[in-house]
Every structure is written in C-alpha cells, then in structure tokens.
Amino acid sequence: MVVVMAGNASEESTANVIGKLTEMNFDVHRSTGVNQTVLGAVGDKRGLDPRLIEVMPGVQKVVRVSEPYKLASRTVQPEDTVIKVKDVSIGGDKLVMMAGPCSVEGRDEIREIAATIARAGASVLRGGAYKPRTSPYSFQGLGEEGLKYLSEAATENGMVSVSEVMESGQIPALLEHVDILQVGARNMQNFSLLRELGKVRKPVLLKRGLSATIEELLMAAEYIMAGGNFEVILCERGIRTFEKYTRNTLDLSAIPVVKKLSHLPIIADPSHATGRRDKVAPMARASIAAGTDGLMIEVHQQPEMAMSDGPQSLYPEQFQKLMGELEIIAQAVGKKW
Ligand code: PEP
Ligand code: MN
C-alpha cells in the first residue's frame, strides 16, 4: 500500500499515519520529496480497508498495490487451474462447451436436446431446475425431479451436468444429481451460500453479478476457495449498462483481464449476455477469440415454446453450425476442443 501525504501535511499528521501503519504491523518506508511525502507500507493485509488510512488528517490518497484476493490470484498460483470433471477438462488449453435449455422442462425434452447437442460436440449439459425468475408468477423450475432428468440425460449421452443452486438447502440435492453447481448472477454476493459451497467437493460455476466489478467476482471466488473448494469456474454473462438493445452488455474485456489476474478458468455466456438469438453466435465467436476457456449456450428444440429464455435460445441447427465456426477460431488462438 502506498500512502501519498498532501503537500501541506504537517509533520505531526505524517507521524500519526506512520504510527497507525506500524501499529497495524506494516513496515513503513518513508520517502520525503521536495513537495510531498510518500509512505510505502509493506505487509500482507488483504482484508484491510484502505479508507482507514485515507480519512486520516493530511492524507491525500492511498493506493493499494496487492490484490485483496489471494487464493484466486495468479501471483499465488502462476499456472492455470485445470478442473477435471469425469472425462471433461476445464481450463488450460482446452475449450469446454456447455449447452442446453434454460430450464429442464421434462424428461423426454431434456433427453432429446442432450442427444442433439452431444452430437454437435458439447460435453456439459446445462438446465435449471431451481430458477431465479424476475417474476414470482413465471415458471420456477421442476426442482429435484428436474435434476434427476438432467442427470439421466447427461449420463446417457456421455456428458457431465451443471445446474443452478439458489440456496444452501438445495445443495444436498445438487450434490446427489449434478456434477457442477452453478451460482447465478443474482447470487454472486450471497456470501452465506458461497461459504457453504466452500465446503463441497464438486466444482462451482460462479456467474458474474449484474453489476459486479471483476474484483468483486474474484472476491466471490475467494469466498468459495477460502472454505477449501478450489474448483471454481468463473463466468462472464454480461453486466447491466445503459444500453437497452441487448439484455445485458457482454464485457468481453473481462476475459483477458481475469486471465491476467487469476489462474481460474473463465467461460462466457453469450445467451444471457445478449438475450437475443441472432446475437449469440457473433458474441460466442468473439469470446473464443478473446481467450475464453469455454462457453455456456442455451439451446432448445422449440425455442418459441420454451418455458424460459426462448428468445435467446438457439435452434439445434444453429448450435451445430456455430460449433463448426468456433472450432476454426479455437485453432487460431491455440485452444484445443
Ligand atoms: C442461467 O444460467 O440459467 C441463469 C439464470 O443465468 P444468470 O444467473 O447469468 O442470469
Ligand atoms: Mn436462462
């Protein structure tokens, strides 16, 4: 942490700041310039709120040098984390394709779509059984029954499964039936849920909150990792901006930013990011070019009849065509399918 004292700060103020930092177990290095004094505070205090120092008399600004997250940081682990789920590897030079309907709607429906997307090359089957809907009157998901259908459809097609957990009470059912537990955008900062997921021994797919900064996303991952679960997959699914044409704004730059800051895999979800079927393929292509470790895409055999997110769900033929295009881009950026 670097503390810049104001030009007119008194010697007493500077001494007070040095005293406070020393009290907090920092090693303080003082550099006195012609116009300003700068204090370098060295010590591993990730949880420290810099405002504690910022509000002291005579302080102009405080600049944090190290990241507040530790386990998620590339400084702590320089090499990429690769998560193995059965035969599927997530992270490193492998690309993972997760696809499926927004919600599990029925046994036959999920089995049919799973067979189609597995043929097209997807290895992870998605489908919500507990749905976070904006309206309490909308379809809320099939619950545990839906998880069973999802799991059966995934196994039948040699895929692994991912589904959303909305609250701690649902964790046992998810652990019993699915391979990867998803934390939705609306729950990214549900710290008690994150803590509970720190105790489980299955990978967690953590989606970026609607208005979360990249640092907040990494801090949410840190919660899970601090509990002992190091298998966290991050997901950029679009953030809320002033733009209204698309459902959200896909923050593509988050991909290379996260890649630099963290060793955790990050995938992109162009379906929830754009909310429109015709925008999914271009943003999926762009995400691969930007260095994502994988994609999550909503696909439905009859999107116009879907119980949720039909307008952003691809038709199976569109998904198949997209997979062919993505393979070419993947090769160009050195990723293996
Ligand atoms: C989902 O993937 O089904 C979902 C609800 O996504 P998000 O949390 O990103 O809105
Ligand atoms: Mn959806």
Side-chain angles (χ1 to χ4, degrees), residues 131-141 166 186 247 307-309:
K131 295 302 301 176
R133 304 305 302 279
T134 302
S135 166
Y137 309 117
S138 303
F139 176 61
Q140 305 285 309
M166 284 173 61
R186 289 153 195 84
R247 186 175 179 186
M307 289 168 118
S308 55
D309 285 347

Side-chain angles (χ1 to χ4, degrees), residues 178-252:
V178 309
D179 302 300
I180 304 171
L181 281 65
Q182 175 173 325
V183 176
R186 289 153 195 84
N187 261 323
M188 190 205 83
Q189 283 189 319
N190 180 340
F191 299 117
S192 54
L193 178 62
L194 299 178
R195 275 195 197 287
E196 288 304 314
L197 291 169
K199 297 179 196 158
V200 314
R201 291 298 168 265
K202 280 199 175 180
V204 174
L205 173 66
L206 178 64
K207 294 187 113 185
R208 182 177 180 184
L210 275 72
S211 60
T213 63
I214 293 172
E215 187 168 291
E216 286 165 340
L217 172 64
L218 293 170
M219 289 307 286
E222 189 79 13
Y223 259 89
I224 301 170
M225 299 174 86
N229 185 354
F230 300 109
E231 301 198 313
V232 181
I233 304 149
L234 305 169
C235 179
E236 165 56 44
R237 48 77 72 206
I239 49 173
R240 186 160 282 179
T241 68
F242 48 79
E243 181 51 61
K244 290 195 289 194
Y245 189 81
T246 48
R247 186 175 179 186
N248 293 289
T249 297
L250 181 63
D251 181 10
L252 269 183

